[in-house]
């Protein structure tokens, strides 16, 4: 390598202005080339994504019959009903920062098999209104589920309720204060925990002292009210893939959830995150006295399999604990077919146990504007 002498000022011995300007130009040029390269890589990624059939399908989810359910505190919960009224029903509750569109792949498969599906947005997320009075306590999420069941499934005995992440926590919160077998025939709890959530997370570096790791997880991650950057980049998608997905998730799945995450209001995200940090619903599991299946991803960093095992050990009528290899936290996106099979397994167990009965005439729907 040939070293070129640097011109120096005769008085100070420092590089002269011409050399400093040249160095600045070279650095700026390298930076511009780097940005151009990154821009071309992102453009190529977007073109590949646009040609992906899965990306196009996820970008155009099914729309059902809209229902506005009034929760106990007056919060408006947006639900959508899919399929024939007389068909056996699945009620699907999404999780933190998610909307009911998360279940689109599962909904399509269930409809193809002749079932009725009800899915809803958690308070403050999607098309549901923010919490009335600013109350984001986990018990309110249980009341929201009760409102949806009353508005869409009153009088039915064929309902299987399933929740992902915070949606499953909502089921546990609901079970604490309601007669579960009087309202549903079975339950599925997916990628979730009910107590000690941040203590078990695998997101924080193991080198941090436990107290510091908990504080970072609580305030910098779960309860952080700062907006998520709206610009999707290689870095943002990489971070999201590490946090929420397994290694086999498609680019379309990661991109779909990233857009969903960005649209979740930051204050809602933080308030709901803190509600999960403070919850303890372990005792409520004893009230879920219907056939219940627990499902977890073995690579789930947000709600590791230790949570699923704790829940399974506490359920009175456990059907099965399923741990999916290669799957992270986003089971409904990463492995929708396996989750549909789990729902059908619970329905078969409920039928065998005599928890279901003939479906009466459906109650009138409370249509939203």
């Amino acid at each position: 390598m040939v070293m070129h002498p640097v011109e120096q000022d005769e008085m100070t011995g420092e590089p002269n202005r011409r050399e400093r300007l040249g160095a600045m130009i070279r650095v700026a040029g390298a930076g511009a080339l780097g940005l151009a390269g990154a821009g071309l890589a992102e453009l190529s990624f977007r073109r590949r994504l646009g040609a992906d059939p899965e990306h196009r399908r996820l970008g155009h989810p099914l729309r059902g019959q809209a229902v506005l359910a009034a929760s106990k505190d007056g919060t408006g919960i947006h639900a959508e009903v899919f399929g024939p009224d007389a068909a056996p029903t699945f009620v699907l509750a999404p999780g933190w920062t998610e909307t009911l569109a998360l279940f689109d792949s599962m909904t399509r498969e269930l409809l193809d098999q002749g079932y009725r599906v009800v899915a809803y947005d958690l308070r403050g997320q999607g098309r549901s209104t923010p919490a009335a009075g600013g109350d984001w306590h986990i018990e309110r999420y249980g009341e929201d589920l009760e409102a949806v069941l009353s508005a869409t499934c009153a009088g039915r005995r064929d309902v299987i309720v399933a929740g992902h992440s915070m949606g499953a926590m909502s089921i546990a919160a609901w079970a604490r204060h309601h007669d579960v077998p009087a309202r549903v025939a079975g339950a599925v709890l997916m990628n979730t925990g009910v107590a000690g959530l941040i203590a078990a997370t695998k997101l924080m570096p193991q080198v941090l002292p436990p107290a510091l790791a908990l504080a970072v997880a609580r305030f910098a991650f779960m309860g952080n009210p700062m907006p998520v950057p709206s610009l999707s980049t290689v870095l943002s998608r990489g971070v999201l893939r590490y946090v929420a997905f397994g290694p086999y998730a498609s680019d379309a799945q990661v991109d779909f959830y990233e857009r969903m995450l960005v649209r979740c209001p930051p204050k809602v995200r933080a308030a709901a995150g803190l509600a999960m940090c403070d919850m303890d619903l372990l005792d409520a599991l004893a009230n879920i006295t219907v056939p219940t299946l627990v499902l977890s991803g073995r690579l789930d960093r947000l709600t590791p399999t230790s949570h699923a095992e704790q829940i399974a050990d506490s359920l009175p009528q456990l059907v099965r604990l399923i741990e999916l290899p290669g799957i992270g936290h986003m089971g409904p996106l990463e492995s929708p077919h396996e989750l549909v099979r789990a729902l059908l397994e619970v329905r078969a167990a409920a039928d065998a146990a005599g928890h279901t009965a003939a479906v009466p005439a459906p109650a009138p729907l409370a249509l939203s504007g």
Side-chain angles (χ1 to χ4, degrees):
M1 178 177 178
V2 179
M3 301 296 293
H4 296 285
V6 177
E7 295 183 20
Q8 295 181 335
D9 187 283
E10 294 180 356
M11 297 295 292
T12 64
E14 296 179 353
N16 63 27
R17 290 182 180 179
R18 182 187 302 173
E19 183 62 24
R20 290 199 300 270
L21 180 59
M24 292 171 63
I25 291 173
R26 289 192 295 272
V27 170
L33 288 174
L35 289 174
L40 289 174
E42 184 66 22
L43 181 60
S44 175
F45 171 80
R46 287 293 157 189
R47 285 175 175 170
R48 293 197 309 274
L49 203 60
D52 185 346
E54 183 184 28
H55 178 258
R56 292 197 295 270
R57 177 177 56 77
L58 288 173
H60 297 85
L62 296 175
R63 296 299 299 270
Q65 185 177 8
V67 177
L68 184 63
S71 194
K72 186 176 181 180
D73 67 354
T75 301
I77 305 301
H78 172 76
E80 294 185 20
V81 181
F82 308 82
D85 287 336
T89 298
F90 292 94
V91 174
L92 308 179
W96 186 43
T97 73
E98 301 164 0
T99 71
L100 62 84
L102 177 83
F103 297 114
D104 186 66
S105 297
M106 295 174 61
T107 297
R108 291 173 187 269
E109 186 170 344
L110 290 168
L111 292 178
D112 286 345
Q113 298 191 43
Y115 292 102
R116 177 175 181 259
V117 176
V118 177
Y120 71 95
D121 294 328
L122 301 187
R123 56 177 49 209
Q125 299 176 195
R127 296 174 65 187
S128 291
T129 67
D135 189 349
W136 301 93
H137 192 275
I138 196 66
E139 299 295 341
R140 304 292 83 75
Y141 287 85
E143 293 168 359
D144 297 346
L145 173 57
E146 172 64 19
V148 171
L149 290 171
S150 296
T152 64
C153 300
R156 303 181 75 109
R157 291 291 308 278
D158 65 339
V159 178
I160 303 296
V161 64
H164 175 253
S165 191
M166 198 175 192
M169 300 168 200
S170 302
I171 294 172
W174 169 76
R176 178 178 274 167
H177 300 293
H178 294 87
D179 186 349
V180 173
R183 302 302 299 275
V184 304
V188 178
L189 309 178
M190 304 176 282
N191 302 97
T192 195
V194 293
L197 203 64
I198 59 175
T201 182
K202 294 184 178 180
L203 293 178
M204 295 299 106
Q206 299 297 312
V207 296
L208 293 179
L212 179 57
L214 289 175
V216 170
R218 180 182 179 88
F219 296 108
F221 180 66
M222 301 291 287
N224 186 349
M226 297 299 293
V228 175
S230 59
L231 180 63
S232 178
T233 65
V234 172
L235 177 60
S236 69
R237 294 189 296 271
V239 170
L240 197 59
R241 183 180 288 274
Y242 171 80
V243 170
F245 290 88
Y248 307 112
S250 69
D251 288 336
Q253 293 163 7
V254 176
D255 180 79
F256 174 76
Y257 176 59
E258 183 177 37
R259 288 181 285 115
M260 190 179 288
L261 174 64
V262 167
R263 288 194 294 265
C264 183
K267 291 183 178 179
V268 172
R269 187 187 72 240
L274 292 176
M276 290 188 290
C277 289
D278 296 333
M279 73 176 178
D280 186 349
L281 297 168
L282 191 58
D283 65 295
L285 298 177
N287 292 346
I288 307 180
T289 54
V290 293
T292 305
L293 187 145
V294 181
L295 190 143
S296 176
R298 287 184 182 169
L299 302 181
D300 189 338
R301 292 185 172 92
L302 288 170
T303 52
T305 54
S306 57
H307 282 296
E309 292 163 358
Q310 180 188 50
I311 292 170
D313 289 341
S314 304
L315 288 168
Q317 292 194 43
L318 177 68
V319 173
R320 192 154 63 105
L321 167 62
I322 300 175
E323 296 180 357
L324 294 174
I327 301 300
H329 186 67
M330 303 303 292
L333 282 177
E334 297 179 78
S335 195
H337 178 65
E338 284 72 14
L339 268 61
V340 167
R341 291 176 60 187
L343 266 62
L344 298 181
E345 183 175 344
V346 170
R347 180 165 295 284
D351 290 343
H355 285 278
T356 56
V359 182
L365 296 178
L367 297 182
S368 70

